[in-house]
Short mmCIF file of all heavy atoms in Angstrom, two decimals:
data_model
loop_
_atom_site.label_atom_id
_atom_site.label_comp_id
_atom_site.label_asym_id
_atom_site.label_seq_id
_atom_site.Cartn_x
_atom_site.Cartn_y
_atom_site.Cartn_z
N SER R 15 0.82 -1.19 0.00
CA SER R 15 -0.01 0.00 0.00
C SER R 15 0.84 1.24 -0.02
O SER R 15 2.00 1.26 0.51
CB SER R 15 -0.89 -0.01 1.24
OG SER R 15 -1.79 -1.07 1.27
N LEU R 16 0.29 2.31 -0.53
CA LEU R 16 0.84 3.58 -0.49
C LEU R 16 -0.21 4.63 -0.36
O LEU R 16 -1.38 4.39 -0.84
CB LEU R 16 1.65 3.98 -1.78
CG LEU R 16 3.12 3.43 -1.92
CD1 LEU R 16 3.62 3.75 -3.32
CD2 LEU R 16 3.98 3.96 -0.87
N ARG R 17 0.09 5.75 0.17
CA ARG R 17 -0.90 6.93 0.29
C ARG R 17 -0.26 8.11 -0.30
O ARG R 17 0.76 8.55 0.16
CB ARG R 17 -1.30 7.09 1.80
CG ARG R 17 -2.45 8.10 1.90
CD ARG R 17 -2.83 8.27 3.36
NE ARG R 17 -4.01 9.14 3.54
CZ ARG R 17 -5.29 8.70 3.45
NH1 ARG R 17 -5.57 7.42 3.26
NH2 ARG R 17 -6.31 9.58 3.63
N LEU R 18 -0.88 8.59 -1.34
CA LEU R 18 -0.44 9.86 -1.99
C LEU R 18 -1.27 11.00 -1.41
O LEU R 18 -2.48 10.83 -1.09
CB LEU R 18 -0.60 9.77 -3.47
CG LEU R 18 -0.03 8.57 -4.25
CD1 LEU R 18 -0.23 8.67 -5.74
CD2 LEU R 18 1.44 8.44 -3.92
N SER R 19 -0.60 12.16 -1.32
CA SER R 19 -1.22 13.36 -0.88
C SER R 19 -0.97 14.49 -1.89
O SER R 19 0.10 14.58 -2.40
CB SER R 19 -0.73 13.74 0.47
OG SER R 19 -1.52 14.80 0.99
N CYS R 20 -1.99 15.31 -2.06
CA CYS R 20 -1.88 16.49 -2.92
C CYS R 20 -2.22 17.71 -2.12
O CYS R 20 -3.30 17.76 -1.52
CB CYS R 20 -2.77 16.39 -4.05
SG CYS R 20 -2.95 17.84 -5.10
N ALA R 21 -1.30 18.69 -2.01
CA ALA R 21 -1.57 19.88 -1.27
C ALA R 21 -1.69 21.05 -2.24
O ALA R 21 -0.86 21.22 -3.08
CB ALA R 21 -0.37 20.20 -0.34
N ALA R 22 -2.85 21.74 -2.14
CA ALA R 22 -3.14 22.84 -3.04
C ALA R 22 -2.75 24.22 -2.37
O ALA R 22 -2.87 24.32 -1.14
CB ALA R 22 -4.60 22.85 -3.38
N SER R 23 -2.44 25.18 -3.21
CA SER R 23 -2.04 26.42 -2.65
C SER R 23 -3.24 27.38 -2.36
O SER R 23 -3.18 28.40 -1.65
CB SER R 23 -1.13 27.20 -3.61
OG SER R 23 -1.79 27.39 -4.85
N HIS R 24 -4.46 26.94 -2.92
CA HIS R 24 -5.67 27.73 -2.73
C HIS R 24 -6.71 26.76 -2.23
O HIS R 24 -6.63 25.56 -2.37
CB HIS R 24 -6.10 28.40 -3.98
CG HIS R 24 -5.26 29.48 -4.44
ND1 HIS R 24 -3.90 29.31 -4.85
CD2 HIS R 24 -5.50 30.86 -4.60
CE1 HIS R 24 -3.39 30.50 -5.21
NE2 HIS R 24 -4.30 31.44 -5.08
N SER R 25 -7.80 27.35 -1.77
CA SER R 25 -8.94 26.51 -1.26
C SER R 25 -9.41 25.55 -2.39
O SER R 25 -9.51 25.96 -3.54
CB SER R 25 -10.05 27.42 -0.75
OG SER R 25 -11.16 26.59 -0.50
N ILE R 26 -9.79 24.37 -1.96
CA ILE R 26 -10.29 23.40 -2.96
C ILE R 26 -11.82 23.15 -2.75
O ILE R 26 -12.44 22.44 -3.37
CB ILE R 26 -9.58 22.04 -2.82
CG1 ILE R 26 -9.84 21.37 -1.44
CG2 ILE R 26 -8.14 22.18 -3.10
CD1 ILE R 26 -9.37 19.99 -1.33
N PHE R 27 -12.44 23.98 -1.81
CA PHE R 27 -13.77 23.75 -1.34
C PHE R 27 -14.77 23.60 -2.48
O PHE R 27 -15.62 22.74 -2.43
CB PHE R 27 -14.14 24.92 -0.43
CG PHE R 27 -15.55 24.79 0.13
CD1 PHE R 27 -15.82 23.90 1.16
CD2 PHE R 27 -16.64 25.52 -0.45
CE1 PHE R 27 -17.13 23.79 1.67
CE2 PHE R 27 -17.91 25.37 0.05
CZ PHE R 27 -18.18 24.53 1.12
N SER R 28 -14.70 24.43 -3.45
CA SER R 28 -15.74 24.48 -4.48
C SER R 28 -15.33 23.73 -5.77
O SER R 28 -16.06 23.81 -6.78
CB SER R 28 -16.09 25.89 -4.82
OG SER R 28 -16.59 26.58 -3.73
N PHE R 29 -14.25 23.00 -5.74
CA PHE R 29 -13.71 22.44 -6.96
C PHE R 29 -13.55 20.93 -6.96
O PHE R 29 -13.29 20.34 -5.90
CB PHE R 29 -12.36 23.07 -7.23
CG PHE R 29 -12.44 24.59 -7.36
CD1 PHE R 29 -12.06 25.38 -6.29
CD2 PHE R 29 -12.83 25.23 -8.56
CE1 PHE R 29 -12.16 26.80 -6.38
CE2 PHE R 29 -12.88 26.55 -8.68
CZ PHE R 29 -12.54 27.39 -7.57
N ASN R 30 -13.78 20.35 -8.09
CA ASN R 30 -13.48 18.95 -8.25
C ASN R 30 -11.97 18.76 -8.32
O ASN R 30 -11.25 19.64 -8.81
CB ASN R 30 -14.05 18.40 -9.61
CG ASN R 30 -15.56 18.60 -9.63
OD1 ASN R 30 -16.19 18.79 -8.56
ND2 ASN R 30 -16.17 18.46 -10.82
N MET R 31 -11.57 17.61 -7.76
CA MET R 31 -10.10 17.33 -7.73
C MET R 31 -9.98 15.91 -8.23
O MET R 31 -10.84 15.01 -8.13
CB MET R 31 -9.60 17.36 -6.29
CG MET R 31 -9.74 18.69 -5.61
SD MET R 31 -8.71 20.03 -6.37
CE MET R 31 -7.11 19.43 -6.03
N GLY R 32 -8.79 15.62 -8.83
CA GLY R 32 -8.56 14.27 -9.41
C GLY R 32 -7.11 13.84 -9.38
O GLY R 32 -6.17 14.66 -9.16
N TRP R 33 -6.97 12.53 -9.44
CA TRP R 33 -5.59 11.95 -9.57
C TRP R 33 -5.61 11.24 -10.96
O TRP R 33 -6.53 10.47 -11.33
CB TRP R 33 -5.40 10.90 -8.51
CG TRP R 33 -5.06 11.43 -7.13
CD1 TRP R 33 -5.91 11.70 -6.17
CD2 TRP R 33 -3.76 11.91 -6.70
NE1 TRP R 33 -5.22 12.27 -5.09
CE2 TRP R 33 -3.87 12.37 -5.40
CE3 TRP R 33 -2.50 11.87 -7.28
CZ2 TRP R 33 -2.79 12.89 -4.64
CZ3 TRP R 33 -1.40 12.34 -6.54
CH2 TRP R 33 -1.53 12.78 -5.29
N TYR R 34 -4.47 11.48 -11.63
CA TYR R 34 -4.22 10.84 -12.94
C TYR R 34 -2.87 10.15 -12.83
O TYR R 34 -2.09 10.38 -11.92
CB TYR R 34 -4.14 11.89 -14.08
CG TYR R 34 -5.46 12.52 -14.50
CD1 TYR R 34 -6.16 13.31 -13.68
CD2 TYR R 34 -6.06 12.15 -15.70
CE1 TYR R 34 -7.35 13.86 -14.08
CE2 TYR R 34 -7.21 12.69 -16.15
CZ TYR R 34 -7.91 13.56 -15.29
OH TYR R 34 -9.08 14.12 -15.65
N ARG R 35 -2.62 9.26 -13.84
CA ARG R 35 -1.31 8.61 -13.82
C ARG R 35 -0.86 8.41 -15.31
O ARG R 35 -1.69 8.33 -16.19
CB ARG R 35 -1.32 7.27 -13.14
CG ARG R 35 -2.19 6.21 -13.77
CD ARG R 35 -2.20 4.97 -12.90
NE ARG R 35 -3.01 3.90 -13.50
CZ ARG R 35 -3.43 2.82 -12.86
NH1 ARG R 35 -2.98 2.60 -11.60
NH2 ARG R 35 -4.10 1.87 -13.49
N GLN R 36 0.39 8.37 -15.49
CA GLN R 36 0.99 8.15 -16.76
C GLN R 36 2.18 7.15 -16.68
O GLN R 36 3.14 7.42 -15.99
CB GLN R 36 1.42 9.46 -17.42
CG GLN R 36 1.91 9.27 -18.84
CD GLN R 36 2.05 10.64 -19.57
OE1 GLN R 36 2.20 11.65 -18.88
NE2 GLN R 36 2.03 10.65 -20.85
N ALA R 37 1.95 6.01 -17.35
CA ALA R 37 3.05 4.98 -17.35
C ALA R 37 3.90 5.25 -18.61
O ALA R 37 3.43 5.87 -19.56
CB ALA R 37 2.41 3.57 -17.42
N PRO R 38 5.12 4.76 -18.59
CA PRO R 38 6.03 4.97 -19.78
C PRO R 38 5.38 4.45 -21.02
O PRO R 38 4.85 3.30 -21.12
CB PRO R 38 7.21 4.12 -19.40
CG PRO R 38 7.28 4.10 -17.94
CD PRO R 38 5.79 3.99 -17.51
N GLY R 39 5.36 5.30 -22.05
CA GLY R 39 4.83 4.93 -23.35
C GLY R 39 3.37 4.92 -23.45
O GLY R 39 2.78 4.53 -24.45
N LYS R 40 2.65 5.40 -22.38
CA LYS R 40 1.22 5.36 -22.40
C LYS R 40 0.70 6.83 -22.15
O LYS R 40 1.39 7.69 -21.70
CB LYS R 40 0.64 4.46 -21.29
CG LYS R 40 0.98 2.97 -21.60
CD LYS R 40 0.24 2.12 -20.57
CE LYS R 40 0.51 0.62 -20.80
NZ LYS R 40 -0.23 -0.26 -19.94
N GLN R 41 -0.63 6.95 -22.53
CA GLN R 41 -1.25 8.29 -22.31
C GLN R 41 -1.62 8.44 -20.86
O GLN R 41 -1.84 7.44 -20.09
CB GLN R 41 -2.50 8.36 -23.17
CG GLN R 41 -2.20 8.52 -24.65
CD GLN R 41 -3.51 8.82 -25.45
OE1 GLN R 41 -4.55 8.42 -25.06
NE2 GLN R 41 -3.32 9.65 -26.54
N ARG R 42 -1.69 9.64 -20.45
CA ARG R 42 -2.16 9.97 -19.05
C ARG R 42 -3.63 9.54 -18.91
O ARG R 42 -4.45 9.85 -19.85
CB ARG R 42 -2.01 11.50 -18.79
CG ARG R 42 -2.17 11.85 -17.39
CD ARG R 42 -1.74 13.27 -17.09
NE ARG R 42 -0.36 13.52 -17.39
CZ ARG R 42 0.34 14.67 -17.04
NH1 ARG R 42 -0.38 15.62 -16.49
NH2 ARG R 42 1.58 14.79 -17.39
N GLU R 43 -3.98 8.96 -17.87
CA GLU R 43 -5.31 8.41 -17.65
C GLU R 43 -5.86 8.83 -16.29
O GLU R 43 -5.10 8.94 -15.32
CB GLU R 43 -5.34 6.84 -17.78
CG GLU R 43 -4.56 6.14 -16.75
CD GLU R 43 -4.71 4.67 -16.88
OE1 GLU R 43 -5.45 4.14 -17.69
OE2 GLU R 43 -4.06 3.86 -16.04
N LEU R 44 -7.18 8.96 -16.17
CA LEU R 44 -7.78 9.27 -14.92
C LEU R 44 -7.73 7.99 -14.01
O LEU R 44 -8.08 6.95 -14.46
CB LEU R 44 -9.25 9.66 -15.17
CG LEU R 44 -10.08 9.87 -13.96
CD1 LEU R 44 -9.59 11.13 -13.16
CD2 LEU R 44 -11.63 10.00 -14.29
N VAL R 45 -7.39 8.23 -12.82
CA VAL R 45 -7.36 7.18 -11.77
C VAL R 45 -8.60 7.36 -10.89
O VAL R 45 -9.41 6.36 -10.71
CB VAL R 45 -6.11 7.22 -10.92
CG1 VAL R 45 -6.17 6.15 -9.82
CG2 VAL R 45 -4.88 7.01 -11.78
N ALA R 46 -8.78 8.58 -10.35
CA ALA R 46 -9.94 8.73 -9.41
C ALA R 46 -10.18 10.22 -9.41
O ALA R 46 -9.21 11.03 -9.57
CB ALA R 46 -9.67 8.20 -8.04
N GLU R 47 -11.41 10.55 -9.11
CA GLU R 47 -11.75 11.99 -9.00
C GLU R 47 -12.89 12.13 -7.92
O GLU R 47 -13.62 11.17 -7.60
CB GLU R 47 -12.30 12.61 -10.31
CG GLU R 47 -13.49 11.82 -10.91
CD GLU R 47 -13.81 12.41 -12.27
OE1 GLU R 47 -13.25 13.41 -12.76
OE2 GLU R 47 -14.68 11.80 -12.97
#
């Protein structure tokens, strides 16, 4: 297991947030939002 964290410089209250990933040779893809 791993836990990733994303810290934003401004409030995220009203905004959708997401995690994407990109493997070598592949396109960036949505993981979770």
Side-chain angles (χ1 to χ4, degrees):
S15 299
L16 280 175
R17 188 176 184 87
L18 305 183
S19 186
C20 171
S23 61
H24 292 65
S25 174
I26 65 170
F27 180 77
S28 299
F29 300 99
N30 299 344
M31 302 293 296
W33 283 95
Y34 287 70
R35 67 186 180 188
Q36 187 166 19
K40 294 188 177 181
Q41 288 190 329
R42 192 170 297 189
E43 63 175 0
L44 175 68
V45 176
E47 57 188 351

